[in-house]
Amino acid sequence: MRWGHLVALPGEPHPAGRSNVLEQAAVALALSRLSDRDDDEWTRRSHDALLTALLGRRFAGEGGVTARFEAAGFPVGGRTVAGAALRLRSGTLPVSAAPRVVEAARAAGADAVAGRYPEQAGVLVVAVSARPGRTLTDALFSSLADAAGSARLDDPAAVVAVGSEARGITGLLSSLEEAVELAAGAAARPDARLGRGVVIQRVQHRPLLRLVNALGNDPRMLEHTEHLLRPLIEYDLATGGDLVEVLRAYLSHPGNRTRAAAASHLSRSVFYQRIALIEELLGMDLDDGETVAALHAAVLARRPTPPSG
């Protein structure tokens, strides 16, 4: 049974020869595969590594990372692709959820790569590639949630945040980042409620997030972010604090500090102290609408980077 591919990217020649290195690696991996009782282990590991490298922007060029995705059975060229972030409303997704989601996508007429998102416990990130003649419908994403929920029959309810449909590997990266950010913002409105308690959230209903994502690495956006958030970033680095993330929670729940405190996993009194410190360090009033809009754009542009390893 063919279960994977080895890809040799351009680089310095090896003394033993590239073919010999690949053959030895194939033998080692095949023997490890035979001794591994979990048939999905290698797939899960490779999908985790692919998505972590993409979201962490740990690649030298589009060609190399595109080749890795296509070798994993995820066609990119000429396909409509999108990113999604999936979480249960309560509890966490087990490791068996990822292969279930991939199989569900195949049954619905799409190819997928699914893996854990290190920065948000219990969140599964999914890259989806529509096969020719197929579209990425809410029904498809609902089936992914059902597949993940079937691993937790006591809690099938799930939320699926879906990024913009795109082309190419950089478009997929942007869509995944949108989906992860959307999943983190509990205040986002769902645009469809489907069977078994599944809620579909589309980034089209988050215009500010789409604007920030469209600007990408525009130097003016980066300058705006650095200028506004520098006092908080420097404070967090010096003290091991969490002011940027507290501000993110506050902006995700405008007008509802109780929910924002809960999202920060802080008591209300401690949360209010953090907000007061943020206002003092920034010299701004967080009850001012224009200030909140400017800060929200800055926080959305400063996405957390998944850790290496």
Side-chain angles (χ1 to χ4, degrees), residues 193-214:
R193 292 183 181 272
L194 304 179
R196 299 190 66 201
V198 176
V199 176
I200 308 295
Q201 298 179 333
R202 291 274 186 174
V203 75
Q204 285 86 340
H205 291 263
R206 291 284 301 279
L208 181 59
L209 175 58
R210 293 192 72 190
L211 173 62
V212 171
N213 190 73

Side-chain angles (χ1 to χ4, degrees), residues 9 37 40 74 169 201 235 244 255 307:
L9 301 178
R37 294 182 180 180
D40 296 318
F74 186 89
I169 202 69
Q201 298 179 333
Y235 181 90
V244 173

